[in-house]
Amino acid sequence: MTTDTNTTGIRRIPLVRPAHIYYTHKNIDKAREFLLNFGFKETKRVGKSTYYEGTGPDPWVYCAREGDEDEFGGAAFLVESMDDLEYASKTLPDATKIYELTDAPGGGSCVTFKDPVDKFPFHLVFGQAFDHATALPERQYNYPMEKHRPGNATQKMEKGPAPVHKLGHFGMCVTDFARAFDFYTTRFNFTPSDLIHEPSGKDITVFLHLDRGAELVDHHCFFFYEGPKCHVHHSSYETHDFDTQLMGHHWLRRSGYENCWGVGRHIMGSQIFDYWFDPSRFIVEHYIDGDLVNNETPTNRSLAAPDNLHVWGPEVPDGFLE
């Protein structure tokens, strides 16, 4: 992408896509057990960090750290160049110098900065090695007027976790929506797919995608909404297809884990969702079939309402948006 500046002349840093995410768990053994049942694959342990990969090309998508408190450690996004990292290190709030991810699978260089409003960490990464991807079965489906499966053949499936493919998005509750919105849309190529407003007209929630020009990208990779106390809401991971998602749902139920909300179909983004509590009470989501957007997609604005989150599925659970 070409260098972009906003109306104030500040250079936007072009992000490519989400890369990975960090969580700290007091009970690392329970966390590790859950993550395997959720569909992550352990790829490396070093010190107090355990790295997990998905079926996509990323060397890892989730890092579980052992610590004294259950904490969200921020998400990382890929940038296009080392120059972007150098610029980020010099211009973003509380940014670190460039440091090497020497212990992480795939290596690479990183800059960590702090959200200017609520001080949660945010990471930018360049130079990781991408050397793997897992082939998954291509399932075909028979519809009333179109039969895609060959005759005399059955759908063979095995019970088990729903394999995670990639980190799709994460979301935060922030204490000052307007300041957060201004920062992320002027310093990066985040642009709103959906904005939700109060009856007064004040925007309180946004679903952001990355403006990559004509390239199609996920409807959102980052969202936030305003509330009294900053915290991570959930992180979300794409899985293979609807059968895989439902088999993973029942696998987690039989394994004794607590479903948060799902299975259902969202309105904004359209993805089929399934939210779970991990043992540390963080919410993680399996999703499939999300919308793709690009620079021809207009921003949609809608009024906040109880029925604008899903078109089918269980009712929104109490406390889900707190």
Side-chain angles (χ1 to χ4, degrees), residues 53-75:
E53 64 183 10
T55 61
D58 298 287
W60 58 284
V61 295
Y62 186 111
C63 178
R65 291 168 165 167
E66 183 179 10
D68 295 332
E69 299 294 334
D70 296 321
E71 291 182 321
F72 175 63

PDB file of all heavy atoms in Angstrom, residues 53-75:
ATOM      1  N   GLU A  53      -0.691 -22.668  17.702  1.00  0.00           N
ATOM      2  CA  GLU A  53      -0.905 -22.335  16.301  1.00  0.00           C
ATOM      3  C   GLU A  53      -2.296 -22.777  15.868  1.00  0.00           C
ATOM      4  O   GLU A  53      -2.977 -23.536  16.566  1.00  0.00           O
ATOM      5  CB  GLU A  53       0.142 -23.028  15.422  1.00  0.00           C
ATOM      6  CG  GLU A  53       0.052 -24.552  15.435  1.00  0.00           C
ATOM      7  CD  GLU A  53       1.143 -25.217  14.616  1.00  0.00           C
ATOM      8  OE1 GLU A  53       2.084 -24.517  14.179  1.00  0.00           O
ATOM      9  OE2 GLU A  53       1.044 -26.445  14.416  1.00  0.00           O
ATOM     10  N   GLY A  54      -2.706 -22.288  14.694  1.00  0.00           N
ATOM     11  CA  GLY A  54      -3.934 -22.732  14.067  1.00  0.00           C
ATOM     12  C   GLY A  54      -3.620 -23.489  12.799  1.00  0.00           C
ATOM     13  O   GLY A  54      -2.483 -23.914  12.563  1.00  0.00           O
ATOM     14  N   THR A  55      -4.616 -23.649  11.953  1.00  0.00           N
ATOM     15  CA  THR A  55      -4.410 -24.357  10.698  1.00  0.00           C
ATOM     16  C   THR A  55      -3.962 -23.425   9.578  1.00  0.00           C
ATOM     17  O   THR A  55      -3.667 -23.881   8.477  1.00  0.00           O
ATOM     18  CB  THR A  55      -5.693 -25.087  10.263  1.00  0.00           C
ATOM     19  OG1 THR A  55      -6.743 -24.116  10.066  1.00  0.00           O
ATOM     20  CG2 THR A  55      -6.128 -26.097  11.312  1.00  0.00           C
ATOM     21  N   GLY A  56      -3.932 -22.119   9.831  1.00  0.00           N
ATOM     22  CA  GLY A  56      -3.493 -21.155   8.841  1.00  0.00           C
ATOM     23  C   GLY A  56      -1.979 -21.020   8.810  1.00  0.00           C
ATOM     24  O   GLY A  56      -1.249 -21.754   9.497  1.00  0.00           O
ATOM     25  N   PRO A  57      -1.458 -20.061   8.047  1.00  0.00           N
ATOM     26  CA  PRO A  57      -0.013 -19.936   7.862  1.00  0.00           C
ATOM     27  C   PRO A  57       0.732 -19.286   9.021  1.00  0.00           C
ATOM     28  O   PRO A  57       1.964 -19.366   9.081  1.00  0.00           O
ATOM     29  CB  PRO A  57       0.087 -19.061   6.608  1.00  0.00           C
ATOM     30  CG  PRO A  57      -1.164 -18.234   6.625  1.00  0.00           C
ATOM     31  CD  PRO A  57      -2.227 -19.136   7.187  1.00  0.00           C
ATOM     32  N   ASP A  58       0.024 -18.638   9.950  1.00  0.00           N
ATOM     33  CA  ASP A  58       0.704 -17.952  11.043  1.00  0.00           C
ATOM     34  C   ASP A  58       1.474 -18.934  11.908  1.00  0.00           C
ATOM     35  O   ASP A  58       0.962 -20.006  12.258  1.00  0.00           O
ATOM     36  CB  ASP A  58      -0.316 -17.211  11.907  1.00  0.00           C
ATOM     37  CG  ASP A  58      -1.065 -16.152  11.134  1.00  0.00           C
ATOM     38  OD1 ASP A  58      -0.454 -15.114  10.838  1.00  0.00           O
ATOM     39  OD2 ASP A  58      -2.240 -16.379  10.802  1.00  0.00           O
ATOM     40  N   PRO A  59       2.702 -18.596  12.314  1.00  0.00           N
ATOM     41  CA  PRO A  59       3.470 -19.503  13.165  1.00  0.00           C
ATOM     42  C   PRO A  59       2.842 -19.733  14.531  1.00  0.00           C
ATOM     43  O   PRO A  59       3.077 -20.759  15.162  1.00  0.00           O
ATOM     44  CB  PRO A  59       4.832 -18.826  13.274  1.00  0.00           C
ATOM     45  CG  PRO A  59       4.578 -17.384  12.961  1.00  0.00           C
ATOM     46  CD  PRO A  59       3.452 -17.366  11.983  1.00  0.00           C
ATOM     47  N   TRP A  60       2.042 -18.765  14.998  1.00  0.00           N
ATOM     48  CA  TRP A  60       1.260 -18.947  16.221  1.00  0.00           C
ATOM     49  C   TRP A  60       0.174 -17.889  16.260  1.00  0.00           C
ATOM     50  O   TRP A  60       0.287 -16.846  15.619  1.00  0.00           O
ATOM     51  CB  TRP A  60       2.132 -18.887  17.479  1.00  0.00           C
ATOM     52  CG  TRP A  60       2.920 -17.628  17.666  1.00  0.00           C
ATOM     53  CD1 TRP A  60       4.062 -17.248  17.008  1.00  0.00           C
ATOM     54  CD2 TRP A  60       2.651 -16.567  18.594  1.00  0.00           C
ATOM     55  NE1 TRP A  60       4.503 -16.019  17.460  1.00  0.00           N
ATOM     56  CE2 TRP A  60       3.666 -15.585  18.439  1.00  0.00           C
ATOM     57  CE3 TRP A  60       1.661 -16.374  19.549  1.00  0.00           C
ATOM     58  CZ2 TRP A  60       3.705 -14.417  19.198  1.00  0.00           C
ATOM     59  CZ3 TRP A  60       1.699 -15.202  20.310  1.00  0.00           C
ATOM     60  CH2 TRP A  60       2.701 -14.252  20.128  1.00  0.00           C
ATOM     61  N   VAL A  61      -0.890 -18.175  17.001  1.00  0.00           N
ATOM     62  CA  VAL A  61      -2.019 -17.248  17.061  1.00  0.00           C
ATOM     63  C   VAL A  61      -2.417 -16.900  18.494  1.00  0.00           C
ATOM     64  O   VAL A  61      -3.180 -15.954  18.706  1.00  0.00           O
ATOM     65  CB  VAL A  61      -3.250 -17.792  16.301  1.00  0.00           C
ATOM     66  CG1 VAL A  61      -2.958 -17.897  14.814  1.00  0.00           C
ATOM     67  CG2 VAL A  61      -3.709 -19.130  16.852  1.00  0.00           C
ATOM     68  N   TYR A  62      -1.914 -17.646  19.481  1.00  0.00           N
ATOM     69  CA  TYR A  62      -2.320 -17.431  20.876  1.00  0.00           C
ATOM     70  C   TYR A  62      -1.128 -17.774  21.757  1.00  0.00           C
ATOM     71  O   TYR A  62      -0.487 -18.823  21.590  1.00  0.00           O
ATOM     72  CB  TYR A  62      -3.504 -18.335  21.214  1.00  0.00           C
ATOM     73  CG  TYR A  62      -4.145 -18.138  22.584  1.00  0.00           C
ATOM     74  CD1 TYR A  62      -5.424 -17.598  22.700  1.00  0.00           C
ATOM     75  CD2 TYR A  62      -3.497 -18.524  23.757  1.00  0.00           C
ATOM     76  CE1 TYR A  62      -6.036 -17.446  23.947  1.00  0.00           C
ATOM     77  CE2 TYR A  62      -4.093 -18.360  25.006  1.00  0.00           C
ATOM     78  CZ  TYR A  62      -5.369 -17.823  25.087  1.00  0.00           C
ATOM     79  OH  TYR A  62      -5.969 -17.661  26.324  1.00  0.00           O
ATOM     80  N   CYS A  63      -0.826 -16.888  22.710  1.00  0.00           N
ATOM     81  CA  CYS A  63       0.192 -17.156  23.719  1.00  0.00           C
ATOM     82  C   CYS A  63      -0.450 -17.143  25.094  1.00  0.00           C
ATOM     83  O   CYS A  63      -1.043 -16.131  25.492  1.00  0.00           O
ATOM     84  CB  CYS A  63       1.311 -16.118  23.663  1.00  0.00           C
ATOM     85  SG  CYS A  63       2.591 -16.355  24.924  1.00  0.00           S
ATOM     86  N   ALA A  64      -0.352 -18.267  25.803  1.00  0.00           N
ATOM     87  CA  ALA A  64      -0.850 -18.369  27.175  1.00  0.00           C
ATOM     88  C   ALA A  64       0.340 -18.223  28.117  1.00  0.00           C
ATOM     89  O   ALA A  64       1.286 -19.019  28.060  1.00  0.00           O
ATOM     90  CB  ALA A  64      -1.537 -19.708  27.400  1.00  0.00           C
ATOM     91  N   ARG A  65       0.295 -17.192  28.956  1.00  0.00           N
ATOM     92  CA  ARG A  65       1.364 -16.950  29.908  1.00  0.00           C
ATOM     93  C   ARG A  65       0.907 -17.289  31.314  1.00  0.00           C
ATOM     94  O   ARG A  65      -0.241 -17.031  31.679  1.00  0.00           O
ATOM     95  CB  ARG A  65       1.791 -15.481  29.857  1.00  0.00           C
ATOM     96  CG  ARG A  65       2.503 -15.074  28.565  1.00  0.00           C
ATOM     97  CD  ARG A  65       2.625 -13.576  28.455  1.00  0.00           C
ATOM     98  NE  ARG A  65       3.583 -13.162  27.436  1.00  0.00           N
ATOM     99  CZ  ARG A  65       3.702 -11.940  26.961  1.00  0.00           C
ATOM    100  NH1 ARG A  65       2.903 -10.974  27.424  1.00  0.00           N
ATOM    101  NH2 ARG A  65       4.589 -11.641  26.039  1.00  0.00           N
ATOM    102  N   GLU A  66       1.792 -17.841  32.093  1.00  0.00           N
ATOM    103  CA  GLU A  66       1.504 -18.114  33.498  1.00  0.00           C
ATOM    104  C   GLU A  66       1.838 -16.885  34.321  1.00  0.00           C
ATOM    105  O   GLU A  66       2.915 -16.296  34.174  1.00  0.00           O
ATOM    106  CB  GLU A  66       2.317 -19.309  33.983  1.00  0.00           C
ATOM    107  CG  GLU A  66       2.034 -19.705  35.423  1.00  0.00           C
ATOM    108  CD  GLU A  66       2.833 -20.911  35.868  1.00  0.00           C
ATOM    109  OE1 GLU A  66       3.743 -21.331  35.121  1.00  0.00           O
ATOM    110  OE2 GLU A  66       2.548 -21.432  36.961  1.00  0.00           O
ATOM    111  N   GLY A  67       0.897 -16.471  35.199  1.00  0.00           N
ATOM    112  CA  GLY A  67       1.145 -15.285  36.003  1.00  0.00           C
ATOM    113  C   GLY A  67       0.305 -15.261  37.257  1.00  0.00           C
ATOM    114  O   GLY A  67      -0.500 -16.176  37.513  1.00  0.00           O
ATOM    115  N   ASP A  68       0.473 -14.198  38.038  1.00  0.00           N
ATOM    116  CA  ASP A  68      -0.223 -14.081  39.320  1.00  0.00           C
ATOM    117  C   ASP A  68      -1.668 -13.628  39.165  1.00  0.00           C
ATOM    118  O   ASP A  68      -2.468 -13.798  40.085  1.00  0.00           O
ATOM    119  CB  ASP A  68       0.516 -13.107  40.234  1.00  0.00           C
ATOM    120  CG  ASP A  68       1.896 -13.611  40.625  1.00  0.00           C
ATOM    121  OD1 ASP A  68       2.078 -14.843  40.669  1.00  0.00           O
ATOM    122  OD2 ASP A  68       2.789 -12.769  40.855  1.00  0.00           O
ATOM    123  N   GLU A  69      -2.013 -13.022  38.019  1.00  0.00           N
ATOM    124  CA  GLU A  69      -3.367 -12.547  37.775  1.00  0.00           C
ATOM    125  C   GLU A  69      -3.820 -12.976  36.383  1.00  0.00           C
ATOM    126  O   GLU A  69      -3.000 -13.143  35.467  1.00  0.00           O
ATOM    127  CB  GLU A  69      -3.437 -11.015  37.883  1.00  0.00           C
ATOM    128  CG  GLU A  69      -3.045 -10.455  39.242  1.00  0.00           C
ATOM    129  CD  GLU A  69      -4.022 -10.853  40.340  1.00  0.00           C
ATOM    130  OE1 GLU A  69      -5.204 -11.104  40.016  1.00  0.00           O
ATOM    131  OE2 GLU A  69      -3.615 -10.882  41.512  1.00  0.00           O
ATOM    132  N   ASP A  70      -5.138 -13.165  36.236  1.00  0.00           N
ATOM    133  CA  ASP A  70      -5.705 -13.409  34.918  1.00  0.00           C
ATOM    134  C   ASP A  70      -5.784 -12.069  34.197  1.00  0.00           C
ATOM    135  O   ASP A  70      -6.522 -11.168  34.628  1.00  0.00           O
ATOM    136  CB  ASP A  70      -7.098 -14.039  35.035  1.00  0.00           C
ATOM    137  CG  ASP A  70      -7.055 -15.413  35.689  1.00  0.00           C
ATOM    138  OD1 ASP A  70      -6.121 -16.173  35.407  1.00  0.00           O
ATOM    139  OD2 ASP A  70      -7.961 -15.709  36.494  1.00  0.00           O
ATOM    140  N   GLU A  71      -5.025 -11.924  33.117  1.00  0.00           N
ATOM    141  CA  GLU A  71      -4.935 -10.629  32.439  1.00  0.00           C
ATOM    142  C   GLU A  71      -4.935 -10.796  30.926  1.00  0.00           C
ATOM    143  O   GLU A  71      -4.382 -11.772  30.396  1.00  0.00           O
ATOM    144  CB  GLU A  71      -3.652  -9.891  32.832  1.00  0.00           C
ATOM    145  CG  GLU A  71      -3.601  -9.411  34.256  1.00  0.00           C
ATOM    146  CD  GLU A  71      -2.326  -8.652  34.551  1.00  0.00           C
ATOM    147  OE1 GLU A  71      -1.260  -9.060  34.044  1.00  0.00           O
ATOM    148  OE2 GLU A  71      -2.400  -7.651  35.294  1.00  0.00           O
ATOM    149  N   PHE A  72      -5.528  -9.814  30.256  1.00  0.00           N
ATOM    150  CA  PHE A  72      -5.439  -9.731  28.810  1.00  0.00           C
ATOM    151  C   PHE A  72      -4.150  -9.004  28.447  1.00  0.00           C
ATOM    152  O   PHE A  72      -3.862  -7.934  28.990  1.00  0.00           O
ATOM    153  CB  PHE A  72      -6.641  -8.967  28.259  1.00  0.00           C
ATOM    154  CG  PHE A  72      -6.594  -8.716  26.780  1.00  0.00           C
ATOM    155  CD1 PHE A  72      -6.604  -9.766  25.870  1.00  0.00           C
ATOM    156  CD2 PHE A  72      -6.537  -7.420  26.286  1.00  0.00           C
ATOM    157  CE1 PHE A  72      -6.557  -9.539  24.505  1.00  0.00           C
ATOM    158  CE2 PHE A  72      -6.496  -7.167  24.926  1.00  0.00           C
ATOM    159  CZ  PHE A  72      -6.498  -8.241  24.026  1.00  0.00           C
ATOM    160  N   GLY A  73      -3.367  -9.575  27.532  1.00  0.00           N
ATOM    161  CA  GLY A  73      -2.072  -9.012  27.203  1.00  0.00           C
ATOM    162  C   GLY A  73      -1.989  -8.309  25.870  1.00  0.00           C
ATOM    163  O   GLY A  73      -0.900  -7.928  25.435  1.00  0.00           O
ATOM    164  N   GLY A  74      -3.137  -8.121  25.200  1.00  0.00           N
ATOM    165  CA  GLY A  74      -3.139  -7.378  23.948  1.00  0.00           C
ATOM    166  C   GLY A  74      -3.034  -8.258  22.722  1.00  0.00           C
ATOM    167  O   GLY A  74      -2.584  -9.399  22.783  1.00  0.00           O
ATOM    168  N   ALA A  75      -3.456  -7.703  21.602  1.00  0.00           N
ATOM    169  CA  ALA A  75      -3.389  -8.374  20.309  1.00  0.00           C
ATOM    170  C   ALA A  75      -2.307  -7.744  19.452  1.00  0.00           C
ATOM    171  O   ALA A  75      -1.933  -6.582  19.646  1.00  0.00           O
ATOM    172  CB  ALA A  75      -4.733  -8.292  19.590  1.00  0.00           C
TER     173      ALA A  75
END
